[in-house]
Each structure stands twice: as structure tokens, then as C-alpha cells.
Amino acid sequence: MIIMFATFDVTAFPLILVQLGTVSDDDDFFIFLKQWENYDLKYENYTFVFDTTNVGYIPVKYAYKMTHFISGLKRRKALHNNVYLERSIIIASTWYVRGLLRLIFSTQTPVAPVYMIDDKTNVQQLLENLCLDPGFYKSNVVRFLPG
């Protein structure tokens, strides 16, 4: 059985649940990025909910690869306006994952708003609040905005 770094659940599209695990190699990470990009081919807005609960150690090189990927998305959005990601919610309960996310978004601002929370039980309430107003979220949520 092959275990992938990311599994995408689209049963509630445009809400896409992404379960993240351990990156086995560069190919595994590349597949994750390609799968992400494929959602823009639907030409419909979508929201990612990344669950990092099962993420262990991820080498820092993947944080830098992610900053380059985000830079490419932003370039594509500016040139062709064909990036449909509306927002991302990232469930990050460990200090290590939260630190990697802070590194990524301090190096490269996101292509769409990102909301970092530490408990998956807060996802539904956050989604409901964001539908009312993008600035309506609890104080324990960390928000990263596009720049």
C-alpha cells in the first residue's frame, strides 16, 4: 500500500478537505502540488481545509519549495487571473507545523487568505463566520493575508 503525503476529499466541493501525512520524497511533494493545481482547472472557487494532525517531521526544504509554489500561483493569478482558491484553513496543532507555516508565510504571503487553527472542531464555526465576514473569527485564529 502506498501512503501519499496528501489525500484530497472533494465530496463537499467547493470545500476540499486535505489530509496531510509524512512527505516520503520530492516526488510525493510534487504530486501534492500538481493535485492542488488541478483544482484551478475546474474554473470554480474553492476552499481548502488542510488537516496536519498526522504530520510528523517535515524537512525545512519543503517549506522553501512551498514558498516557490505560492510565488508561482501568485504570478499566474496576476497574469491570467486563473487561480480560484478563495481561502485556506489549516489545522495545525503542533509547534513544529505552526513554525513551518509561519516561516512559509513570512517568506511568501499567501495567494488567498489563510486561517491557522489548532483544533479541527473549530473548522465548521470558522467557515460559518467567514461566510458572514472575512474578518469575523476568534482571537485564537492566526490569519495570513495575501500581499
Side-chain angles (χ1 to χ4, degrees):
M1 178 179 165
I2 298 174
I3 298 174
M4 303 294 290
F5 168 57
T7 55
F8 292 78
D9 179 355
V10 296
T11 55
F13 189 86
L15 183 67
I16 302 169
L17 305 175
V18 186
Q19 185 70 45
L20 299 176
T22 302
V23 179
S24 58
D25 56 27
D26 288 353
D27 289 339
D28 197 20
F29 191 73
F30 179 75
I31 290 167
F32 160 68
L33 298 181
K34 282 298 164 199
Q35 202 164 354
W36 175 329
E37 285 185 311
N38 283 337
Y39 292 106
D40 287 325
L41 300 176
K42 292 180 175 281
Y43 303 103
E44 295 179 52
N45 291 336
Y46 59 93
T47 295
F48 277 135
V49 176
F50 294 99
D51 185 350
T52 69
T53 305
N54 297 320
V55 169
Y57 171 74
I58 296 179
V60 174
K61 75 176 186 176
Y62 293 111
Y64 288 105
K65 287 178 184 285
M66 181 57 75
T67 63
H68 290 290
F69 175 73
I70 293 169
S71 177
L73 287 177
K74 290 170 71 174
R75 210 171 20 258
R76 184 162 53 92
K77 185 173 185 171
L79 292 172
H80 306 291
N81 197 29
N82 63 353
V83 175
Y84 297 93
L85 177 63
E86 279 191 310
R87 72 181 69 88
S88 294
I89 296 172
I90 305 175
I91 304 159
S93 55
T94 68
W95 66 269
Y96 184 73
V97 171
R98 293 174 82 79
L100 281 179
L101 291 169
R102 288 181 189 279
L103 173 66
I104 290 167
F105 297 125
S106 66
T107 306
Q108 179 64 250
T109 58
V111 68
V114 173
Y115 301 86
M116 184 170 59
I117 61 176
D118 59 6
D119 187 346
K120 65 176 78 178
T121 61
N122 297 326
V123 170
Q124 190 58 42
Q125 184 64 54
L126 178 58
L127 284 168
E128 290 170 10
N129 290 351
L130 294 175
C131 285
L132 297 172
D133 184 317
F136 185 37
Y137 53 89
K138 293 183 178 181
S139 62
N140 64 338
V141 175
V142 178
R143 180 172 72 164
F144 302 96
L145 296 173

